[in-house]
């Protein structure tokens, strides 16, 4: 999904309805005018993406999205394309603007026919357009529309989705029974939350945005609710280093974890903290890993311990504690977890809790303002004792933050960050990052940024962003398959030094 030059905010379906209402009622732009502008935006996208298109099939339902489709079909027919409109549902249920769009299409050379799922009734097209269902869908897709979606997905032609792929929930990114898999989606007025998370990225394809020339003042009147992260905005909070700087100005990160056979996790987290700019990085781990860690990265200060009481002087010196990478769930792990929570106060010290630290937290929940929690959906399910985390990721991250405090990031397609004030979504990252150690690197990056004085929300948002973009750089260079977590370390450093 292309995410360059897109607006920096995302809307729910309710927010989008409010925008539409304002445009029509307060700014005097008719619904039919918006339909014509939307159709024109799609025509421009088709001319740019598929200039040789001659035969087009347009699927239209019976809502406002269908009105866009009928006008688009008519415009393409007037430009000499052979256009067939597959009419799904009852055109008599169209609103006034949709009915006018339908009559316009009837007056062109476009062929309108009632949809039949039989393959020989559809035939081959150079391009298929999905204008079945818009953002107003609620509940499971009805059978007739499900059959049409199956027909669209069963064709080999590229697919353009008008505003949003049919069957995709605009709020959550869930597929409501059936969902169109588009090659290109042209979306209008406001970006929809569901385009960027859960199933959204797999169904949207390439994304183009058009504001339909609505007055800019419209956007000042409706709260977006979700911020779409961009690197330029997030880097503004990273302080410039003075020429006479010294290491103690950039914080001391202590990574705690690495039970037997899991020393790699603390190694990756610690090195990520170092590469993110922390002045000092220490590791407290099981004694069997100490020599290997020093051999791998001599800049680290490594302490092997068996008695959790040995942690106390290390914790006292640290400005940030990263707890959990490779921690495990043994008696040693539990003792370490409790000792860290007892020793780290809620004042100046910051914490990042990851991996088994989160699973141990789920067993004895508490709320703190000075930590960053970094669960994936499985860990989030343990923390909330709820297996419906993915049903509404936005609600889930807000519930986690309300229950546990601090700043929470919920990993996954469209990683979310919520600090109690700002809800943000990261639109970057790729499936190649679904490999061991990626979370350990992320926790180290966030720890390193916290150590440099960034507030927890800003550190987490920037950490998530550079981690995801580093993964995308790796994928662009050598492909997604086979990406290792340590491959991200060099691009993370580069991304945090944009002027270098």
């Amino acid at each position: 999904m292309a995410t360059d030059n897109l607006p920096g905010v995302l809307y729910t379906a309710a927010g989008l309805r409010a925008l539409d209402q304002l445009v029509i009622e307060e700014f005097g732009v008719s619904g039919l005018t918006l339909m014509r502008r939307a159709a024109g935006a799609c025509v421009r996208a088709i001319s740019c993406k598929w200039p040789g298109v001659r035969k087009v099939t347009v699927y239209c339902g019976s809502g406002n999205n269908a009105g866009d489709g009928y006008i688009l079909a008519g415009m393409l027919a007037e430009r000499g394309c052979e256009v067939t409109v597959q009419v799904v549902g009852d055109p008599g249920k169209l609103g006034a603007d949709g009915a006018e769009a339908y009559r316009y299409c009837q007056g062109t050379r476009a062929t309108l026919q009632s949809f039949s799922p039989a393959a020989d009734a559809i035939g081959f097209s150079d391009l298929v357009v999905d204008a079945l269902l818009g953002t107003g869908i609620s509940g499971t897709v009805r059978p007739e529309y499900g059959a049409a979606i199956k027909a669209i997905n069963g064709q080999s032609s590229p697919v353009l989705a008008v505003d949003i792929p049919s069957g995709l929930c605009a709020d959550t990114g869930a597929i409501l029974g059936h969902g169109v898999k588009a090659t290109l989606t042209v979306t209008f007025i406001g970006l929809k939350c569901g385009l960027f998370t859960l199933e959204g990225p797999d169904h949207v394809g390439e994304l183009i945005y058009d504001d339909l020339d609505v007055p800019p003042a419209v956007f000042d009147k409706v709260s977006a609710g979700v911020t779409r992260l961009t690197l330029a905005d997030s880097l503004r909070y990273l302080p410039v280093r003075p020429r006479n700087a010294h290491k103690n100005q950039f914080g001391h990160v202590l990574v705690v974890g690495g039970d037997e056979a899991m020393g790699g996790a603390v190694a990756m987290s610690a090195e990520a903290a170092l590469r993110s700019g922390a002045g000092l990085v220490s590791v407290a781990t099981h004694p069997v890993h100490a020599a290997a860690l020093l051999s791998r990265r001599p800049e680290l200060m490594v302490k092997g311990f068996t008695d959790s009481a040995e942690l106390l002087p290390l914790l006292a010196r640290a400005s940030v504690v990263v707890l959990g990478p490779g921690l495990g769930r043994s008696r040693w792990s539990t003792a370490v977890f409790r000792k860290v929570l007892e020793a780290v106060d809620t004042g100046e010290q910051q914490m990042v809790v990851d991996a088994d630290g989160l699973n141990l937290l789920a067993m004895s929940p508490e709320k703190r303002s000075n930590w960053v929690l970094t669960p994936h959906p499985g860990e989030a399910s343990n923390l909330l004792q709820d297996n419906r985390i993915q049903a509404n990721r936005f609600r889930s991250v807000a519930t986690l933050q309300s229950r546990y405090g601090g700043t929470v990031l919920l990993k996954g397609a469209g990683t979310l960050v919520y600090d109690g004030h700002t809800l943000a979504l990261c639109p970057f990252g790729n499936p190649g990052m679904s490999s061991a150690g990626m979370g350990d690197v992320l926790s180290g990056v966030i720890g390193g940024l916290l150590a440099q004085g960034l507030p927890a929300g800003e550190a987490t948002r920037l950490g998530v962003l550079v981690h995801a973009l580093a993964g995308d750089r790796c994928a662009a260079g050598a492909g997604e398959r086979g990406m290792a977590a340590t491959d991200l370390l060099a691009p993370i450093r580069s991304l945090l030094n944009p002027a270098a």
Side-chain angles (χ1 to χ4, degrees), residues 38 74 119 128 131 168 170 357 377 446 449:
V128 175
L168 179 68
I446 295 170
L449 294 171

Side-chain angles (χ1 to χ4, degrees), residues 60-107:
C60 291
S62 55
N64 287 337
N65 193 252
D68 300 343
Y70 284 121
I71 295 177
L72 171 59
M75 286 180 171
L76 291 173
E78 289 178 340
R79 284 161 173 75
C81 291
E82 181 184 340
V83 181
T84 300
V85 180
Q86 295 287 337
V87 179
V88 183
D90 181 4
K93 294 182 178 179
L94 291 166
D97 294 328
E100 183 63 27
Y102 180 76
R103 287 190 291 272
Y104 159 71
C105 187
Q106 284 182 311

Side-chain angles (χ1 to χ4, degrees), residues 325-376:
L327 183 61
R329 302 191 205 182
S330 66
R331 281 195 291 181
W332 178 86
S333 311
T334 303
V336 169
F337 178 78
R338 294 312 318 168
K339 183 62 69 175
V340 172
L341 291 195
E342 289 169 8
V344 175
D345 61 34
T346 58
E348 294 299 315
Q349 282 183 305
Q350 298 284 316
M351 294 180 64
V352 180
V353 185
D354 186 32
D356 276 322
L358 296 167
N359 292 320
L360 291 170
L361 177 61
M363 296 169 66
S364 53
E366 62 178 88
K367 188 172 184 177
R368 293 191 176 208
S369 61
N370 66 323
W371 58 18
V372 176
L373 307 182
T374 63
H376 57 56

